[in-house]
Amino acid sequence: MPRPMGRGKGMNAPRPQNIKGTVARLLKYLKPHAGKMVVVFICVLINAFANIAGTAILAPLLNGLAAVKPSPDLTLTNIAWLDDFAYGFAPGNIVADKITYLTILVCTIAGIYVIGIIANYICNRLLVSISTTTMTTIRNELFAHMQKLPIKVFDTNTHGELMTRFTNDVDVMNEFIARCIPQVVSSVLTIVGVFAMMFVLSWQLALVMIAMLACMLVVVKVIGGKSQKNFVAQQEAVGKLNGYIEELIEGQKVVKAFNHEEIAVAEFDKINTYWQTVSAKANGYANIMGPIMNNLSHFFYAAIAIVGAFIAISSGEPLGFVGIIAAFLMYIRNISNPIQQIAQQINMIFMAVAGGERVFKLLDTPVEVDDGYVTLVNAEVDEQGNITESAKRTGRWAWKHPHSETGEITYTELKGDVRFEDVTFGYEENKTVLRDVSLFAKPGQKIAFVGSTGAGKTTITNLINRFYDVPDGKIRYDGININKIKKADLRRSLAMVLQDTHLFTGTVMDNIRYGRLDATDEECIAAAKSANAHQFIKHLPDGYNTMLTRDGENLSQGQRQLLAIARAAVADPPVLILDEATSSIDTRTEWLIEKGMDALMQGRTTFVIAHRLSTVRNSNAIMVLEHGEIIERGNHDDLIAQKGKYYQLYTGAFELS
């Protein structure tokens, strides 16, 4: 049953921890696109200017329509450059023709808006290119970093939670770049430009508008503050939802087998209800922002019209003020929309920051520490035992050991001698799993570990692979402390077959070759034969070219295990680790595999973990573990003669749990 994730209690909406730092870090990814971003900002500036200028020209246009007796000396607006512009196109007596003058203004407005449309098109096309390229870079970096993370990260985080970093969190960062940045810049430029033009047209109405703008900002601050923390919580809730769904899908058979459907539904409902709560609050506050801002703009619209009318009447020239009032009313629309957009983008910024913090937290997770300097090389050994390094695969390996003090390089032949010396280890600081474990495996020996679940058997194999480092004690490999061996080279000398197999999307041949990518088809087929997988592979629709998908769902559990064993066999390693490798295989298939595995294990050090004690009878040494300690050791006959725990396990007087 998938473990409860404890989401029902303490689900307080988190807040961004470092908004400035996260945004600054995200913007660093735009440095390779600096040239394009400059063009984007220029286009945003042009588009904002087009909107402002187009509205500004509306004032002389309306004043011209209101003028009854145009004359060559008529000035239709109090903006000098617009009159100069019109006179430049219609000099002399032509300007007396009001139609000509107004036609020039209409064409000017149309031209300005066309330029704005073109600039907006260029801006959007560039932003699509920039945002998709940037998100590709982030995802590649995130995935590459994930490959370097220690196993502990995957043991302590659900797969769905990690997958959310690649999907939802990166998507909101993409929205930030593609929409948020240009809209915020455009809105700010529009607001600044509109206020500048307002003061040019009428400083009295501009002051009124400032007072109204202050009211808008108060509304934005109050509502935006309430939605901020809930948008962050929404991102967290999505990750928890994905994690729980992924767990339940993988464990659906277990859920049904133990009739836990109702419990699973209740737990999911608890998580989903939490998501609903924070999502409703976040989007609810964000959605009411628009109507409130629209209603405020309607109120301001009426207020400006009334105040403008009083100013026009008091000026003694009401017709000359018609265009200014109309322009102001248009500017109210122009300024309320940018303010509303900024309010909405603030929410998007918080979402992007929340997603960015989660992505960068994973990127900042320390990678596996690998301070090893001993490497694995192909070796040639002459009759005198002298070792030389070879550039081609020879079937023999050696540890290449550089000495920093003398600069000398020595070679130690890889034989598979593995020794534990007083090893104490725990996955958590206050919980010890292994206590003072000492053991040795001579080259070519088969060492078996038996004991109850949780006794520490799998932990020993994890430490051999350096999935976890030993804090106390030493593990030596051919006399070399494994902490001095590079992890990649150490793991190249080992092959593991786990109880939980995993097959990748690809052909059967590809999955076998995964053990050694330079293996030929003939070597892969030979490995399949040694694992007794060849017979069932030949009966697949396309044999070795049969495509496997969804972790080999078209194969039985036993067949999948056979392919995993073939994958280990093609690696042809000096050391094998079999962790319940035959647990999912029937007795007859197990017998066939053991025959092939016995041949494969010849001359190789092998560690075997098995609950079926019949599979470890021929081991050179059997270690019986209990509570992280080795309580018995010896071969099968010795342990039976001792009539201790192994005897009880083997005869059924005490069963493994």
Side-chain angles (χ1 to χ4, degrees):
M1 178 66 187
R3 64 185 182 280
M5 300 183 71
R7 301 171 179 85
K9 182 180 179 181
M11 291 185 181
N12 295 322
R15 301 177 73 91
Q17 300 297 314
N18 184 9
I19 296 178
K20 291 183 179 179
T22 303
V23 172
R25 186 168 177 180
L26 178 56
L27 293 179
K28 287 182 180 179
Y29 284 94
L30 300 179
K31 282 187 176 180
H33 311 285
K36 290 183 179 180
M37 288 302 297
V38 170
V39 177
V40 166
F41 283 119
I42 292 174
C43 290
V44 169
L45 181 62
I46 293 173
N47 188 41
F49 172 79
N51 290 330
I52 296 169
T55 304
I57 299 176
L58 185 65
L61 181 60
L62 293 178
N63 283 345
L65 292 173
V68 179
K69 296 180 180 180
S71 67
D73 299 324
L74 178 64
T75 299
L76 298 180
T77 176
N78 60 349
I79 304 178
W81 67 269
L82 281 174
D83 286 309
D84 294 339
F85 176 78
Y87 282 116
F89 275 94
N93 292 329
I94 301 179
V95 75
D97 186 353
K98 182 171 64 175
I99 301 301
T100 303
Y101 182 86
L102 297 179
T103 301
I104 294 172
L105 293 181
V106 171
C107 293
T108 302
I109 293 174
I112 289 174
Y113 282 132
V114 168
I115 293 173
I117 292 171
I118 295 173
N120 191 45
Y121 172 79
I122 296 173
C123 174
N124 289 331
R125 287 298 300 268
L126 288 176
L127 282 172
V128 169
S129 172
I130 294 170
S131 61
T132 53
T133 303
T134 302
M135 292 308 106
T136 299
T137 301
I138 291 177
R139 280 198 175 100
N140 286 340
E141 185 177 331
L142 190 62
F143 189 83
H145 182 77
M146 188 179 66
Q147 306 309 308
K148 302 175 185 178
L149 294 177
I151 293 295
K152 183 178 181 180
V153 174
F154 303 96
D155 289 342
T156 55
N157 292 276
T158 65
H159 298 166
E161 174 74 15
L162 294 174
M163 289 169 57
T164 302
R165 314 290 174 95
F166 288 88
T167 53
N168 296 68
D169 293 333
V170 174
D171 285 342
V172 295
M173 295 166 70
N174 181 54
E175 289 290 312
F176 173 75
I177 294 176
R179 296 185 182 181
C180 185
I181 293 178
Q183 284 193 5
V184 168
V185 173
S186 177
S187 297
V188 170
L189 291 175
T190 300
I191 292 172
V192 173
V194 165
F195 269 104
M197 291 305 300
M198 282 181 174
F199 275 99
V200 171
L201 291 172
S202 172
W203 64 268
Q204 299 97 327
L205 291 180
L207 292 177
V208 174
M209 194 60 209
I210 289 178
M212 296 176 178
L213 178 62
C215 296
M216 287 185 174
L217 294 178
V218 170
V219 172
V220 170
K221 182 178 180 181
V222 173
I223 298 178
K226 290 183 178 294
S227 63
Q228 166 191 343
K229 64 178 182 180
N230 290 293
F231 270 115
V232 178
Q234 180 181 319
Q235 289 300 110
E236 295 285 347
V238 169
K240 292 175 182 178
L241 269 176
N242 287 344
Y244 189 75
I245 292 171
E246 186 265 342
E247 282 186 333
L248 265 291
I249 290 175
E250 285 189 355
Q252 193 59 223
K253 289 183 180 178
V254 180
V255 173
K256 290 183 177 297
F258 289 94
N259 297 316
H260 274 276
E261 291 93 339
E262 292 185 4
I263 296 175
V265 170
E267 180 69 13
F268 179 79
D269 182 64
K270 186 188 300 181
I271 306 166
N272 202 26
T273 300
Y274 172 64
W275 170 85
Q276 177 190 8
T277 301
V278 294
S279 182
K281 289 181 179 179
N283 291 285
Y285 285 119
N287 290 340
I288 66 174
M289 181 75 74
I292 290 177
M293 297 298 288
N294 284 334
N295 288 325
L296 283 176
S297 67
H298 292 324
F299 174 76
F300 298 158
Y301 195 90
I304 287 292
I306 294 171
V307 174
F310 277 112
I311 295 175
I313 293 171
S314 62
S315 67
E317 296 180 4
L319 292 180
F321 214 77
V322 170
I324 295 176
I325 295 175
F328 257 89
L329 295 178
M330 290 292 294
Y331 278 138
I332 290 176
R333 299 293 189 191
N334 289 346
I335 204 169
S336 62
N337 288 336
I339 293 174
Q340 182 179 340
Q341 287 179 356
I342 290 177
Q344 292 174 345
Q345 296 311 318
I346 287 175
N347 293 327
M348 178 58 68
I349 290 173
F350 288 135
M351 289 181 63
V353 168
E357 283 184 347
R358 287 158 52 80
V359 169
F360 294 142
K361 181 180 180 181
L362 186 59
L363 282 173
D364 292 337
T365 302
V367 299
E368 276 191 300
V369 177
D370 189 3
D371 49 4
Y373 51 87
V374 177
T375 57
L376 185 66
V377 297
N378 292 304
E380 294 180 352
V381 184
D382 60 21
E383 296 180 355
Q384 289 74 34
N386 298 318
I387 301 173
T388 56
E389 185 176 345
S390 175
K392 60 182 181 180
R393 185 178 178 88
T394 61
R396 302 185 73 171
W397 297 270
W399 300 111
K400 183 179 181 180
H401 193 151
H403 299 272
S404 57
E405 299 85 1
T406 62
E408 181 185 4
I409 295 178
T410 59
Y411 295 91
T412 302
E413 185 176 3
L414 196 167
K415 296 181 178 180
D417 186 294
V418 180
R419 298 175 184 268
F420 279 61
E421 300 175 0
D422 301 320
V423 172
T424 298
F425 174 79
Y427 294 101
E428 300 176 10
E429 187 174 349
N430 299 322
K431 188 176 181 181
T432 302
V433 178
L434 297 178
R435 297 178 180 85
D436 297 323
V437 171
S438 295
L439 61 90
F440 65 87
K442 293 181 179 179
Q445 284 189 330
K446 179 181 178 181
I447 308 299
F449 300 104
V450 299
S452 303
T453 300
K457 306 183 297 295
T458 300
T459 299
I460 290 177
T461 61
N462 285 340
L463 296 180
I464 295 174
N465 275 279
R466 281 194 73 190
F467 290 151
Y468 296 88
D469 285 325
V470 178
D472 191 12
K474 288 183 174 62
I475 303 176
R476 298 189 183 277
Y477 195 165
D478 292 326
I480 304 171
N481 190 330
I482 63 171
N483 290 337
K484 297 180 180 179
I485 302 175
K486 283 188 173 296
K487 290 184 177 180
D489 293 273
L490 172 67
R491 292 165 187 168
R492 276 174 51 210
S493 71
L494 307 168
M496 290 189 71
V497 180
L498 304 174
Q499 179 178 2
D500 297 325
T501 61
H502 186 82
L503 301 178
F504 299 93
T505 299
T507 64
V508 171
M509 184 71 76
D510 292 336
N511 274 274
I512 296 176
R513 188 177 282 115
Y514 201 86
R516 180 162 59 86
L517 296 180
D518 61 350
T520 63
D521 289 352
E522 291 74 19
E523 290 174 324
C524 291
I525 294 173
K529 289 179 178 178
S530 69
N532 281 292
H534 182 69
Q535 285 300 115
F536 91 81
I537 294 175
K538 287 197 306 181
H539 290 88
L540 293 176
D542 297 314
Y544 283 87
N545 292 320
T546 300
M547 182 65 65
L548 302 180
T549 58
R550 297 176 60 85
D551 202 14
E553 63 179 355
N554 47 340
L555 301 178
S556 69
Q557 182 66 27
Q559 290 171 333
R560 293 170 60 200
Q561 196 78 349
L562 289 171
L563 288 183
I565 295 172
R567 185 166 59 193
V570 79
D572 195 23
V575 177
L576 290 171
I577 298 175
L578 309 176
D579 188 351
E580 295 287 353
T582 58
S583 62
S584 302
I585 300 173
D586 60 83
T587 305
R588 170 175 169 73
T589 306
E590 182 180 9
W591 178 77
L592 293 173
I593 290 176
E594 284 183 359
K595 293 182 62 177
M597 294 299 289
D598 286 341
L600 180 63
M601 289 186 291
Q602 289 296 323
R604 291 177 173 83
T605 306
T606 306
F607 295 95
V608 179
I609 297 174
H611 278 108
R612 295 181 185 177
L613 299 187
S614 59
T615 63
V616 301
R617 288 188 57 179
N618 63 346
S619 300
N620 299 101
I622 300 172
M623 310 288 175
V624 183
L625 286 92
E626 189 171 283
H627 303 303
E629 297 179 348
I630 298 177
I631 59 173
E632 294 178 9
R633 67 182 77 200
N635 60 31
H636 174 75
D637 295 333
D638 293 337
L639 294 177
I640 291 294
Q642 292 178 20
K643 293 191 175 182
K645 178 58 67 69
Y646 181 81
Y647 175 83
Q648 294 176 342
L649 296 173
Y650 190 78
T651 59
F654 181 86
E655 295 186 0
L656 291 173
S657 58

